[in-house]
Amino acid sequence: QAWTDGINAAGKMALLAWEKETGIELVQINGQRHYGGPPPGWEGPPPPARTEVYIARLPQDVYENTLIPLFESVGKLYEFRLMMTFSGLNRGFAYARYASLQDARRAIATFHGFQLRQGCAIVVCWSTQKRELLVNGLPASVSRQELEAMLQMLTEGIHSVTLYASPGQGQAKLAVLKYRTHKAAALAKKALVEGNLRLGKEGMRVDWLDPQVKKKLQLCEEEPSPSWVKGGENLAVPRAVAMPLSLQKVLEYLNTVCSKCHLRTPLFITRCVQVTPSRWQKLWYQVVIPGYHVPISGFTWVSPDREGQSKQEKAKVVAALHILWVLGESLHSQLPAF
């Protein structure tokens, strides 16, 4: 640990001196440190697709004061993202997005195999721009619309949700989540994993969608969207609820379900347990339902830029959806047909 601390101290001093000298501002968002996106003085829309390169095999004590000037020497940078560990070292890889396709090509031609240090040749290639996540271990009762509703509250930039039966896991389901950008997918993965949200009896497991798994899933039949109303009502979130879900509508529906289950009105407790430099908040919630045997609790990340709802209201919407899933999973077999 002393070796790590010593390198961090020297690296941090050099990085701070470089920031002060250049006026460059670096912003840490979860496990990524950002420059640009857009950089100062940028005019016009973002660069087109295929302008980002992936940089790997970086020494862990190398930072932006070395990397940004190096990669800017071959073309104009729109954005630079360095992946960071909790200890303050980098994770060995970064992404550089250029203003043009020609600049990105030049970076690959110049720096792939470049000796950043003696005996340390870095890898520079096209970024794969992964945008799809695989979610395993979802309960059998979950529907695509319910999952979409939850993801709208927990993450940004969701493009589509596809549900499949999970092979070899009984009635469990898995889902493929597609996001509009790699950045949105990466932040969503972190939010879903660290949010520790439990759907039903088991926590869901989130990872990048492996290309081989994707090929196998393309041969499987996508689960059809279920009917939202069967025999009058069921425990699903009503399809008529607009996105983003309003707290009032979700609570009204939850209270109706609790009443039919002979349970009393749920009591909510929320508490902020973490705030990131970019003002994302991690909120803990607990819900006590008089008549139900245990409290229901979990975590959720709340973004800073959504209007119309307070952070606590957003957390309560997530908590209410969580309760609907739990009730649907644990009480479905015990409830009379409505």
Side-chain angles (χ1 to χ4, degrees):
Q1 188 63 44
W3 177 81
T4 302
D5 291 342
I7 285 190
N8 282 344
K12 184 176 180 180
M13 288 179 63
L15 181 63
L16 290 174
W18 175 77
E19 286 184 277
K20 185 175 181 180
E21 179 184 349
T22 60
I24 284 177
E25 181 181 2
L26 301 175
V27 179
Q28 181 121 0
I29 301 177
N30 294 327
Q32 304 182 23
R33 200 155 60 200
H34 288 244
Y35 159 75
W42 179 271
E43 295 182 1
R50 295 275 293 169
T51 54
E52 184 174 82
V53 301
Y54 171 69
I55 307 157
R57 297 185 185 172
L58 292 171
Q60 286 191 279
D61 59 329
V62 169
Y63 299 108
E64 291 89 345
N65 54 314
T66 297
L67 297 171
I68 287 179
L70 178 67
F71 282 88
E72 219 167 23
S73 68
V74 296
K76 184 174 179 58
L77 280 177
Y78 175 79
E79 182 181 43
F80 191 90
R81 297 183 288 127
L82 183 62
M83 307 301 114
M84 302 297 296
T85 69
F86 289 112
S87 68
L89 295 171
N90 77 61
R91 292 170 57 195
F93 66 100
Y95 296 89
R97 189 175 181 188
Y98 283 91
S100 70
L101 180 61
Q102 291 76 14
D103 289 344
R105 281 199 185 111
R106 193 178 301 116
I108 294 172
T110 304
F111 295 124
H112 181 62
F114 179 79
Q115 293 279 338
L116 194 60
R117 287 181 182 166
Q118 185 66 33
C120 179
I122 62 175
V123 170
V124 182
C125 59
W126 292 109
S127 169
T128 57
Q129 289 285 293
K130 293 185 290 186
R131 295 187 295 146
E132 293 175 302
L133 301 176
L134 181 68
V135 183
N136 258 305
L138 293 168
S141 59
V142 70
S143 70
R144 181 174 60 81
Q145 287 88 344
E146 287 175 302
L147 188 56
E148 283 181 351
M150 181 69 77
L151 292 167
Q152 287 279 356
M153 297 304 303
L154 292 171
T155 68
E156 298 282 350
I158 185 73
H159 179 267
S160 65
V161 176
T162 308
L163 270 182
Y164 300 90
S166 184
Q169 296 189 31
Q171 296 300 310
K173 293 181 183 178
L174 57 83
V176 173
L177 316 180
K178 187 173 183 178
Y179 284 82
R180 293 188 177 90
T181 65
H182 171 75
K183 180 179 176 181
L187 291 175
K189 180 176 180 292
K190 186 173 181 66
L192 293 171
V193 171
E194 293 194 0
N196 195 30
L197 184 67
R198 302 183 73 82
L199 307 179
K201 296 178 182 178
E202 298 295 332
M204 61 182 183
R205 300 180 299 281
V206 184
D207 210 337
W208 293 109
L209 178 61
D210 182 87
Q212 296 302 317
V213 175
K214 183 176 181 178
K215 287 182 180 179
K216 291 179 181 179
L217 288 176
Q218 288 172 345
L219 301 176
C220 300
E221 185 176 354
E222 177 183 342
E223 180 174 299
S225 298
S227 170
W228 281 95
V229 180
K230 295 180 180 178
E233 299 178 29
N234 64 5
L235 290 181
V237 179
R239 189 174 191 174
V241 175
M243 301 295 294
L245 299 174
S246 74
L247 178 62
Q248 181 181 353
K249 288 184 179 293
V250 174
L251 290 183
E252 285 176 359
Y253 189 77
L254 175 61
N255 289 337
T256 299
V257 171
C258 287
S259 176
K260 290 185 177 295
C261 296
H262 307 291
L263 301 172
R264 294 167 61 188
T265 303
L267 306 173
F268 291 81
I269 303 171
T270 62
R271 183 168 69 244
C272 180
V273 296
Q274 183 181 347
V275 181
T276 71
S278 56
R279 296 188 298 114
W280 278 72
Q281 293 188 13
K282 186 176 184 179
L283 284 90
W284 170 84
Y285 61 82
Q286 185 175 78
V287 185
V288 176
I289 309 175
Y292 193 66
H293 58 289
V294 293
I296 298 169
S297 60
F299 293 93
T300 182
W301 284 97
V302 177
S303 64
D305 54 353
R306 289 191 176 174
E307 300 177 356
Q309 286 183 320
S310 70
K311 304 290 191 298
Q312 287 72 26
E313 285 177 330
K314 294 174 189 175
K316 285 182 179 179
V317 169
V318 172
L321 291 169
H322 185 179
I323 294 167
L324 287 169
W325 262 311
V326 171
L327 293 178
E329 187 74 7
S330 62
L331 299 180
H332 184 270
S333 62
Q334 305 173 30
L335 293 177
F338 298 142

mmCIF file of all heavy atoms in Angstrom, residues 83 96 99 109 196 236:
data_model
loop_
_atom_site.group_PDB
_atom_site.id
_atom_site.type_symbol
_atom_site.label_atom_id
_atom_site.label_comp_id
_atom_site.label_asym_id
_atom_site.label_seq_id
_atom_site.Cartn_x
_atom_site.Cartn_y
_atom_site.Cartn_z
ATOM 1 N N MET A 83 -10.067 5.696 -17.178
ATOM 2 C CA MET A 83 -10.730 4.868 -16.184
ATOM 3 C C MET A 83 -9.891 4.815 -14.910
ATOM 4 O O MET A 83 -8.683 4.566 -14.972
ATOM 5 C CB MET A 83 -10.951 3.445 -16.715
ATOM 6 C CG MET A 83 -11.670 3.373 -18.048
ATOM 7 S SD MET A 83 -13.313 4.126 -18.053
ATOM 8 C CE MET A 83 -13.038 5.509 -19.161
ATOM 9 N N ALA A 96 -10.102 8.011 -26.219
ATOM 10 C CA ALA A 96 -9.881 9.344 -26.787
ATOM 11 C C ALA A 96 -10.801 9.507 -27.996
ATOM 12 O O ALA A 96 -10.746 8.702 -28.934
ATOM 13 C CB ALA A 96 -8.421 9.522 -27.212
ATOM 14 N N ALA A 99 -11.941 14.906 -33.166
ATOM 15 C CA ALA A 99 -12.866 15.772 -33.889
ATOM 16 C C ALA A 99 -13.217 15.216 -35.262
ATOM 17 O O ALA A 99 -14.246 15.561 -35.835
ATOM 18 C CB ALA A 99 -12.262 17.171 -34.027
ATOM 19 N N ALA A 109 -2.494 4.888 -36.120
ATOM 20 C CA ALA A 109 -1.277 4.629 -36.902
ATOM 21 C C ALA A 109 -0.022 5.076 -36.155
ATOM 22 O O ALA A 109 1.034 4.447 -36.247
ATOM 23 C CB ALA A 109 -1.365 5.351 -38.251
ATOM 24 N N ASN A 196 -27.537 -2.076 -6.149
ATOM 25 C CA ASN A 196 -27.885 -3.244 -5.329
ATOM 26 C C ASN A 196 -29.389 -3.464 -5.270
ATOM 27 O O ASN A 196 -29.937 -3.877 -4.257
ATOM 28 C CB ASN A 196 -27.326 -3.081 -3.902
ATOM 29 C CG ASN A 196 -27.346 -4.399 -3.146
ATOM 30 O OD1 ASN A 196 -27.227 -5.458 -3.743
ATOM 31 N ND2 ASN A 196 -27.516 -4.325 -1.836
ATOM 32 N N ALA A 236 -49.096 -5.950 -12.404
ATOM 33 C CA ALA A 236 -48.150 -5.202 -13.228
ATOM 34 C C ALA A 236 -48.403 -3.705 -13.100
ATOM 35 O O ALA A 236 -49.494 -3.276 -12.766
ATOM 36 C CB ALA A 236 -48.311 -5.623 -14.695
#
